Amino acid sequence: NKFALPSHLTMGNFTSLGGSHSSGTKKSGAEGSGLASYVSALIDQTLTWNDIAWLRKNTRLKIVVKGVMTVEDAVASVKHGVDGIWVSNHGARQLDTTPATIEVLPEICRAVAKKVEVYVDGGIIRGTDVFKAIALGARAVFVGRPVLWGLAHSGEEGVYNAIKMLNDEFVLAMKLSGCICIEDIKPSFVKPAAAFRSKL
C-alpha cells in the first residue's frame, strides 16, 4: 500500500538514534508498505534458541518470548530458561491463515504446566475476551487496537476510557459468572463453538 509517514511527522522515540531509525517510514516500500520494510530491516533472522540461552546466562532480568503459537515452541521456551511466554500472532499480519491466539492458548498452557507465566494478545476488545483468556490459562492479556481507537477518538482520555471499559466489562463478566476472585475463573466457563454444532 506504499505507506509512508507524511513529511512533517517523525518517529519521535527514534530521532536521537540517528541513521535509518530517525527517518523511519519516510520512504514507501519498494513493493509495499514502508512500515513493513522498515520493521523487516530491524529483525535479525539469524536468531536461534541458542541466543535465548546466551541471554539467560548474561542477565537476571525477566525474559519473555513473544510470538509463541505452538506447543513445541512453548516447551522449547521453558527449556531455555524464559520467565514468560507471550502467545501472539502479531496481529495476524505476518502469516496468512494463522490460528487465532485464543485457539492455541489452552494447549500451550497445558504444555508448560505453570512452569512460566503465559500471556496472550489478539482480539481482546471486550471484557468477556479477557475473561475467556484468563479461563483458558492466561496470566494476563495485552491490548492493542482498543487503545489506539481510544487514542484516535479523544487522546489520553480516550485511552483511559477504553481500558476502564474493558475492566468494567471484565468485572461484570466475573459477577455474572459467580466468580469472586480471579482464581474462580475456570476453563469450564468456555466452550468452543464446535461443541454446540449439530451431530446430524
Side-chain angles (χ1 to χ4, degrees), residues 49-110:
W49 287 112
N50 292 331
D51 294 290
I52 299 295
W54 175 87
L55 188 61
R56 178 73 289 161
K57 291 178 181 177
N58 287 278
T59 184
R60 289 177 293 183
L61 295 172
K62 301 291 186 182
I63 299 174
V64 177
V65 175
K66 184 186 179 192
V68 174
M69 288 290 290
T70 66
V71 166
E72 292 79 6
D73 280 350
V75 171
S77 297
V78 174
K79 177 182 176 182
H80 288 87
V82 306
D83 301 287
I85 291 172
W86 186 339
V87 179
S88 175
N89 58 21
H90 307 297
R93 298 183 305 273
Q94 312 305 318
L95 177 63
D96 194 22
T97 71
T98 188
T101 53
I102 198 72
E103 293 176 325
V104 300
L105 177 63
E107 61 187 21
I108 288 174
C109 290
R110 286 193 295 269

